[in-house]
Amino acid sequence: MDIRYDLHCHSTASDGSLSPTVLVERAHQMGVDVLALTDHDATHGLVEAGVAAKVQGLDLVTGIEVSVTWGSQTIHIVGLFIDPENIELQQGLERLQEFRRWRAQEIGLRLEKKRVAGAYEGAKEFCGGQIMSRTHFAHYLVKAGYAPDIRTVFKKYLVRGKPGYVPGNWAGLEEALGWIHNAGGVAVIAHPARYQISATRLRELIKEFKEYGGLGMEVVSGSHSRDNIQHMSRLAVKFGLHASSGSDFHGPSNVYTELGRLSAVPEANTPIWHSDAWQQRAEQFGIRR
Ligand code: AMP
Ligand code: MN
Ligand code: MN
Ligand code: MN
């Protein structure tokens, strides 16, 4: 039997709507064998997820999705097999979490100027604790009736050029890979087809990422179309990156895909779980290979 991998998802430790335990239970029900929990800029869901994974008999990969500012773009880099106790990583993440707290207040102020009241407090109620995300604002704004659904709220209020948008000041690309590698992990470009950048810039991103020791890119993502997968498959081959696969699941009623419901990695690609770096870490962490 093939092993089913889902190497990208979120819990209430960031902007997902399920607790780590419920998320892992659901992954197990969906037939996932190896799951990476990759919360935004935070690792505090991993302990609970690890306990649940033991109970369910599922293998958990300790993951992270680091927010990166690259030029004027926000890029997401997934780290897999990171040691959550690594000091350098945690110091870096603390800085990003601090920026998130500041940005949340700023988003609140900017929305207030546009007569959207109480958004900061409202978002805070949807937020588990450490990580304040635009998703939490989106949930509040829908609840308060400013838009019918999450997608519309982002379009109207939270993306670049809209009243609640605050430019990112995240980690540098080299810095983020440094944190991941220092913590023993491997780095993967998250959902590369989703960035609003030219083909040339995307190639530059991949080149730079490789220079800093990056290992893979998500060829298969819950947010990629069939065409996206084909396109990313070719780029991964061309630049010698391994292919990763992850749903980017945020919760049962979210816009992204269900856990474990992913297309196969195209034949042309080498899945990241076939890489030496993966094999070595899988053995170390005692997970299926
Ligand atoms: P943040 O990292 O706080 O800026 O928030 C980014 C998160 O917002 C992403 O990880 C997605 O979960 C969510 N998001 C971004 N754009 C959209 C969108 N157009 N529709 C729904 N969710 C989105
Ligand atoms: Mn998210
Ligand atoms: Mn992302
Ligand atoms: Mn994600």
Side-chain angles (χ1 to χ4, degrees):
M1 261 285 278
D2 277 356
I3 300 175
R4 190 177 289 206
Y5 295 86
D6 189 337
L7 302 179
H8 186 151
C9 67
H10 298 271
S11 74
T12 46
S14 64
D15 60 348
S17 60
L18 302 182
S19 71
T21 302
V22 175
L23 180 79
V24 167
E25 286 168 0
R26 188 180 180 99
H28 180 65
Q29 281 159 15
M30 296 295 166
V32 174
D33 301 300
V34 180
L35 179 75
L37 174 60
T38 56
D39 275 308
H40 296 287
D41 308 321
T43 60
H44 59 278
L46 290 171
V47 171
E48 185 185 319
V51 172
K54 278 223 169 69
V55 173
Q56 300 295 321
L58 172 152
D59 289 337
L60 183 82
V61 173
T62 53
I64 180 82
E65 183 175 16
V66 182
S67 307
V68 165
T69 298
W70 185 69
S72 62
Q73 279 289 324
T74 297
I75 301 292
H76 288 170
I77 302 293
V78 161
L80 301 171
F81 295 109
I82 46 120
D83 168 13
E85 315 237 300
N86 182 271
I87 306 273
E88 189 187 330
L89 172 68
Q90 287 306 335
Q91 280 172 348
L93 297 182
E94 177 49 45
R95 192 183 94 210
L96 301 187
Q97 291 167 13
E98 176 58 34
F99 174 69
R100 282 185 174 280
R101 289 189 284 270
W102 173 83
R103 182 188 67 159
Q105 290 177 331
E106 191 64 25
I107 292 175
L109 291 174
R110 290 186 192 197
L111 288 174
E112 216 135 288
K113 285 194 191 127
K114 296 286 169 184
R115 289 195 206 117
V116 177
Y120 175 75
E121 289 74 20
K124 215 157 179 204
E125 265 176 47
F126 278 100
C127 150
Q130 253 161 302
I131 295 296
M132 285 200 74
S133 157
R134 279 184 292 163
T135 308
H136 301 117
F137 280 89
H139 284 303
Y140 167 73
L141 290 170
V142 170
K143 191 186 99 179
Y146 288 99
D149 55 52
I150 301 284
R151 235 179 239 285
T152 316
V153 142
F154 266 91
K155 243 198 220 155
K156 258 176 87 176
Y157 293 101
L158 298 172
V159 295
R160 199 189 300 222
K162 299 300 167 174
Y165 182 76
V166 178
N169 182 15
W170 307 110
L173 182 62
E174 186 172 14
E175 189 177 35
L177 268 76
W179 298 343
I180 291 168
H181 292 148
N182 194 263
V186 297
V188 173
I189 302 176
H191 43 68
R194 220 161 77 208
Y195 307 120
Q196 312 273 315
I197 54 178
S198 68
T200 309
R201 279 296 275 166
L202 182 56
R203 284 196 297 271
E204 280 168 10
L205 171 68
I206 295 172
K207 260 191 229 155
E208 247 185 72
F209 173 79
K210 269 215 75 155
E211 274 167 29
Y212 302 141
L215 181 67
M217 60 190 255
E218 286 178 353
V219 169
V220 181
S221 162
S223 62
H224 283 175
S225 67
R226 268 165 201 279
D227 283 355
N228 289 157
I229 292 174
Q230 284 316 313
H231 182 199
M232 294 308 122
S233 167
R234 286 193 295 275
L235 282 178
V237 170
K238 181 167 175 186
F239 289 94
L241 286 180
H242 289 80
S244 190
S245 177
S247 60
D248 209 356
F249 180 78
H250 280 69
S253 59
N254 204 277
V255 293
Y256 302 122
T257 315
E258 182 54 74
L259 286 159
R261 294 289 173 271
L262 291 155
S263 319
V265 170
E267 291 285 336
N269 299 108
T270 312
I272 195 162
W273 46 89
H274 288 173
S275 68
D276 292 344
W278 177 287
Q279 294 287 321
Q280 188 194 335
R281 286 166 180 79
E283 183 169 16
Q284 180 193 333
F285 281 77
I287 77 157
R288 258 164 281 195
R289 294 180 281 154

mmCIF file of all heavy atoms in Angstrom, residues 96-112:
data_model
loop_
_atom_site.group_PDB
_atom_site.id
_atom_site.type_symbol
_atom_site.label_atom_id
_atom_site.label_comp_id
_atom_site.label_asym_id
_atom_site.label_seq_id
_atom_site.Cartn_x
_atom_site.Cartn_y
_atom_site.Cartn_z
ATOM 1 N N LEU A 96 8.708 37.380 14.594
ATOM 2 C CA LEU A 96 7.590 37.411 13.649
ATOM 3 C C LEU A 96 6.259 37.516 14.392
ATOM 4 O O LEU A 96 5.328 38.184 13.954
ATOM 5 C CB LEU A 96 7.607 36.172 12.751
ATOM 6 C CG LEU A 96 8.872 35.962 11.916
ATOM 7 C CD1 LEU A 96 8.678 34.805 10.941
ATOM 8 C CD2 LEU A 96 9.249 37.223 11.147
ATOM 9 N N GLN A 97 6.178 36.850 15.548
ATOM 10 C CA GLN A 97 4.945 36.904 16.346
ATOM 11 C C GLN A 97 4.727 38.314 16.888
ATOM 12 O O GLN A 97 3.605 38.807 16.931
ATOM 13 C CB GLN A 97 5.019 35.883 17.486
ATOM 14 C CG GLN A 97 4.962 34.445 16.962
ATOM 15 C CD GLN A 97 5.331 33.403 18.002
ATOM 16 O OE1 GLN A 97 5.400 33.696 19.196
ATOM 17 N NE2 GLN A 97 5.588 32.179 17.554
ATOM 18 N N GLU A 98 5.834 38.966 17.283
ATOM 19 C CA GLU A 98 5.756 40.345 17.759
ATOM 20 C C GLU A 98 5.272 41.246 16.620
ATOM 21 O O GLU A 98 4.407 42.101 16.833
ATOM 22 C CB GLU A 98 7.144 40.775 18.260
ATOM 23 C CG GLU A 98 7.272 42.215 18.702
ATOM 24 C CD GLU A 98 6.312 42.581 19.829
ATOM 25 O OE1 GLU A 98 6.045 41.707 20.673
ATOM 26 O OE2 GLU A 98 5.830 43.730 19.854
ATOM 27 N N PHE A 99 5.809 41.039 15.414
ATOM 28 C CA PHE A 99 5.349 41.824 14.264
ATOM 29 C C PHE A 99 3.856 41.584 14.029
ATOM 30 O O PHE A 99 3.102 42.507 13.743
ATOM 31 C CB PHE A 99 6.146 41.499 12.994
ATOM 32 C CG PHE A 99 5.584 42.194 11.771
ATOM 33 C CD1 PHE A 99 5.678 43.567 11.627
ATOM 34 C CD2 PHE A 99 4.908 41.457 10.793
ATOM 35 C CE1 PHE A 99 5.122 44.219 10.525
ATOM 36 C CE2 PHE A 99 4.351 42.099 9.684
ATOM 37 C CZ PHE A 99 4.457 43.477 9.554
ATOM 38 N N ARG A 100 3.418 40.344 14.191
ATOM 39 C CA ARG A 100 1.986 40.032 14.015
ATOM 40 C C ARG A 100 1.123 40.796 15.018
ATOM 41 O O ARG A 100 0.038 41.267 14.675
ATOM 42 C CB ARG A 100 1.741 38.526 14.167
ATOM 43 C CG ARG A 100 2.136 37.715 12.948
ATOM 44 C CD ARG A 100 1.778 36.245 13.085
ATOM 45 N NE ARG A 100 2.050 35.554 11.830
ATOM 46 C CZ ARG A 100 1.239 35.583 10.763
ATOM 47 N NH1 ARG A 100 0.084 36.203 10.815
ATOM 48 N NH2 ARG A 100 1.590 34.960 9.651
ATOM 49 N N ARG A 101 1.590 40.877 16.277
ATOM 50 C CA ARG A 101 0.819 41.612 17.290
ATOM 51 C C ARG A 101 0.721 43.088 16.927
ATOM 52 O O ARG A 101 -0.344 43.691 17.000
ATOM 53 C CB ARG A 101 1.459 41.436 18.678
ATOM 54 C CG ARG A 101 1.290 40.030 19.249
ATOM 55 C CD ARG A 101 1.741 39.947 20.692
ATOM 56 N NE ARG A 101 3.188 39.916 20.849
ATOM 57 C CZ ARG A 101 3.912 38.788 20.876
ATOM 58 N NH1 ARG A 101 3.321 37.602 20.769
ATOM 59 N NH2 ARG A 101 5.218 38.832 21.010
ATOM 60 N N TRP A 102 1.869 43.685 16.528
ATOM 61 C CA TRP A 102 1.868 45.088 16.124
ATOM 62 C C TRP A 102 0.971 45.297 14.899
ATOM 63 O O TRP A 102 0.142 46.204 14.858
ATOM 64 C CB TRP A 102 3.299 45.559 15.803
ATOM 65 C CG TRP A 102 3.306 46.940 15.234
ATOM 66 C CD1 TRP A 102 3.272 48.112 15.938
ATOM 67 C CD2 TRP A 102 3.273 47.297 13.843
ATOM 68 N NE1 TRP A 102 3.220 49.178 15.066
ATOM 69 C CE2 TRP A 102 3.224 48.707 13.779
ATOM 70 C CE3 TRP A 102 3.275 46.568 12.646
ATOM 71 C CZ2 TRP A 102 3.186 49.404 12.570
ATOM 72 C CZ3 TRP A 102 3.226 47.262 11.431
ATOM 73 C CH2 TRP A 102 3.189 48.657 11.401
ATOM 74 N N ARG A 103 1.111 44.406 13.910
ATOM 75 C CA ARG A 103 0.347 44.549 12.675
ATOM 76 C C ARG A 103 -1.148 44.445 12.946
ATOM 77 O O ARG A 103 -1.949 45.165 12.340
ATOM 78 C CB ARG A 103 0.761 43.469 11.663
ATOM 79 C CG ARG A 103 0.036 43.592 10.324
ATOM 80 C CD ARG A 103 0.294 42.418 9.397
ATOM 81 N NE ARG A 103 -0.284 41.185 9.903
ATOM 82 C CZ ARG A 103 -0.559 40.115 9.165
ATOM 83 N NH1 ARG A 103 -0.296 40.135 7.856
ATOM 84 N NH2 ARG A 103 -1.070 39.042 9.700
ATOM 85 N N ALA A 104 -1.534 43.571 13.867
ATOM 86 C CA ALA A 104 -2.965 43.398 14.173
ATOM 87 C C ALA A 104 -3.561 44.711 14.692
ATOM 88 O O ALA A 104 -4.663 45.111 14.292
ATOM 89 C CB ALA A 104 -3.154 42.282 15.186
ATOM 90 N N GLN A 105 -2.803 45.403 15.572
ATOM 91 C CA GLN A 105 -3.295 46.687 16.074
ATOM 92 C C GLN A 105 -3.416 47.685 14.932
ATOM 93 O O GLN A 105 -4.381 48.438 14.849
ATOM 94 C CB GLN A 105 -2.348 47.219 17.143
ATOM 95 C CG GLN A 105 -2.426 46.387 18.412
ATOM 96 C CD GLN A 105 -1.444 46.857 19.474
ATOM 97 O OE1 GLN A 105 -0.384 47.391 19.148
ATOM 98 N NE2 GLN A 105 -1.793 46.659 20.724
ATOM 99 N N GLU A 106 -2.401 47.667 14.071
ATOM 100 C CA GLU A 106 -2.368 48.574 12.926
ATOM 101 C C GLU A 106 -3.542 48.294 11.965
ATOM 102 O O GLU A 106 -4.184 49.214 11.484
ATOM 103 C CB GLU A 106 -1.015 48.398 12.226
ATOM 104 C CG GLU A 106 -0.677 49.408 11.185
ATOM 105 C CD GLU A 106 -0.530 50.836 11.700
ATOM 106 O OE1 GLU A 106 -0.225 51.014 12.901
ATOM 107 O OE2 GLU A 106 -0.754 51.758 10.898
ATOM 108 N N ILE A 107 -3.815 47.029 11.710
ATOM 109 C CA ILE A 107 -4.960 46.676 10.851
ATOM 110 C C ILE A 107 -6.245 47.216 11.487
ATOM 111 O O ILE A 107 -7.087 47.817 10.817
ATOM 112 C CB ILE A 107 -5.064 45.137 10.664
ATOM 113 C CG1 ILE A 107 -3.900 44.602 9.832
ATOM 114 C CG2 ILE A 107 -6.398 44.765 9.994
ATOM 115 C CD1 ILE A 107 -3.850 43.064 9.707
ATOM 116 N N GLY A 108 -6.362 47.026 12.803
ATOM 117 C CA GLY A 108 -7.536 47.522 13.527
ATOM 118 C C GLY A 108 -7.707 49.019 13.354
ATOM 119 O O GLY A 108 -8.813 49.509 13.043
ATOM 120 N N LEU A 109 -6.604 49.779 13.507
ATOM 121 C CA LEU A 109 -6.665 51.241 13.378
ATOM 122 C C LEU A 109 -7.051 51.649 11.968
ATOM 123 O O LEU A 109 -7.875 52.546 11.756
ATOM 124 C CB LEU A 109 -5.302 51.858 13.728
ATOM 125 C CG LEU A 109 -4.884 51.770 15.199
ATOM 126 C CD1 LEU A 109 -3.455 52.272 15.393
ATOM 127 C CD2 LEU A 109 -5.859 52.559 16.078
ATOM 128 N N ARG A 110 -6.447 50.973 10.997
ATOM 129 C CA ARG A 110 -6.730 51.337 9.596
ATOM 130 C C ARG A 110 -8.183 51.043 9.225
ATOM 131 O O ARG A 110 -8.811 51.797 8.478
ATOM 132 C CB ARG A 110 -5.779 50.613 8.643
ATOM 133 C CG ARG A 110 -4.370 51.146 8.777
ATOM 134 C CD ARG A 110 -3.426 50.551 7.752
ATOM 135 N NE ARG A 110 -2.050 50.891 8.128
ATOM 136 C CZ ARG A 110 -1.008 50.811 7.311
ATOM 137 N NH1 ARG A 110 -1.173 50.396 6.074
ATOM 138 N NH2 ARG A 110 0.194 51.136 7.729
ATOM 139 N N LEU A 111 -8.707 49.937 9.749
ATOM 140 C CA LEU A 111 -10.114 49.610 9.456
ATOM 141 C C LEU A 111 -11.045 50.598 10.154
ATOM 142 O O LEU A 111 -12.074 50.997 9.598
ATOM 143 C CB LEU A 111 -10.425 48.173 9.885
ATOM 144 C CG LEU A 111 -9.820 47.072 9.022
ATOM 145 C CD1 LEU A 111 -10.082 45.693 9.629
ATOM 146 C CD2 LEU A 111 -10.370 47.121 7.581
ATOM 147 N N GLU A 112 -10.648 51.011 11.351
ATOM 148 C CA GLU A 112 -11.455 51.978 12.096
ATOM 149 C C GLU A 112 -11.637 53.271 11.306
ATOM 150 O O GLU A 112 -12.716 53.851 11.290
ATOM 151 C CB GLU A 112 -10.796 52.272 13.439
ATOM 152 C CG GLU A 112 -11.803 52.477 14.551
ATOM 153 C CD GLU A 112 -11.407 51.714 15.816
ATOM 154 O OE1 GLU A 112 -11.510 50.478 15.824
ATOM 155 O OE2 GLU A 112 -10.983 52.386 16.752
#
